Amino acid sequence: RLLLSSCALTSGLTAAASSGLGGQALERAAILSKLQFICNLANFQGQKRYWTLLTSLLYRPIEDVIDVAMCIVELQLAGENLREKENQLGTTRFLFWSALATACTNVLFLAMMRTLDKRGSGLRYLCNQGLWPIGSVCMTLRALDIPASRNTRVRVLGMLEVPSRWYPLSFALAVSALRG
């Protein structure tokens, strides 16, 4: 809910600014509110917004139809995996685990972006947002818990079935194919 309300708030501020209901001040407020949540190399390293390691979990930018589809997939992934993890850990430990998992995946993401950016690829503005980090961690842990000897097959994005041990890789490839 917090993720969707954050998207609605910043989208609403941007729409109000573009319709002339406050002009540049409102548009600036929308941009500044987004920057508090966006975890990318330019924001983290350049602007010293270290809290984005944690706040990126609470924001998912929606700018086009593909983003809407990705948001639906992200919510489905979260719905399938996070409820089970919260039941295992309990609510308080789940919140701490979510913060830790988000921060760790964002640190790895930023390290990869820094390494790739040294080659002049311009990836400083590529961001890691929303529920993907913790959803992916839960999904990977669940897939690795299933013994390979059971040869269990799972569905990837409702499109195809793969052996459970290949689910994380298949999921990453399917999402990459959707996003382009």
Side-chain angles (χ1 to χ4, degrees), residues 20-156:
L21 298 174
Q24 292 179 343
L26 204 50
E27 189 172 351
R28 182 165 164 71
I31 291 169
L32 287 175
S33 69
K34 286 181 184 180
L35 290 177
Q36 306 308 315
F37 296 97
I38 294 175
C39 184
N40 63 21
L41 199 55
N43 206 13
F44 183 81
Q45 191 176 27
Q47 299 296 318
K48 309 288 189 238
R49 290 188 173 107
Y50 302 123
W51 57 88
T52 60
L53 286 177
L54 298 173
T55 60
S56 68
L57 173 71
L58 305 174
Y59 178 68
R60 173 74 169 100
I62 298 177
E63 297 174 7
D64 56 18
V65 176
I66 298 284
D67 284 338
V68 172
M70 295 301 284
C71 186
I72 291 169
V73 171
E74 186 175 344
L75 290 172
Q76 178 187 1
L77 173 70
E80 290 174 2
N81 295 293
L82 297 182
R83 187 177 318 123
E84 180 184 326
K85 195 67 169 173
E86 184 179 8
N87 287 339
Q88 280 179 340
L89 298 175
T91 303
T92 305
R93 283 191 282 171
F94 173 73
L95 289 174
F96 285 116
W97 177 87
S98 297
L100 180 65
T102 300
C104 289
T105 55
N106 282 334
V107 165
L108 289 172
F109 172 79
L110 291 171
M112 284 190 326
M113 291 303 106
R114 186 171 185 188
T115 302
L116 292 172
D117 195 51
K118 286 181 181 178
R119 306 173 101 191
S121 57
L123 296 174
R124 297 185 59 75
Y125 299 100
L126 190 63
C127 58
N128 191 22
Q129 297 302 123
L131 297 170
W132 286 114
I134 60 171
S136 299
V137 168
C138 283
M139 172 199 58
T140 303
L141 291 173
R142 188 179 70 185
L144 293 175
D145 280 344
I146 299 172
S149 62
R150 285 187 28 201
N151 198 16
T152 305
R153 300 183 68 78
V154 291
R155 295 184 63 78
V156 178

Side-chain angles (χ1 to χ4, degrees), residues 161-179:
E161 287 187 5
V162 296
S164 63
R165 66 179 174 190
W166 294 107
Y167 183 75
L169 178 64
S170 302
F171 183 80
L173 290 173
V175 169
S176 296
L178 283 176
R179 192 63 197 160

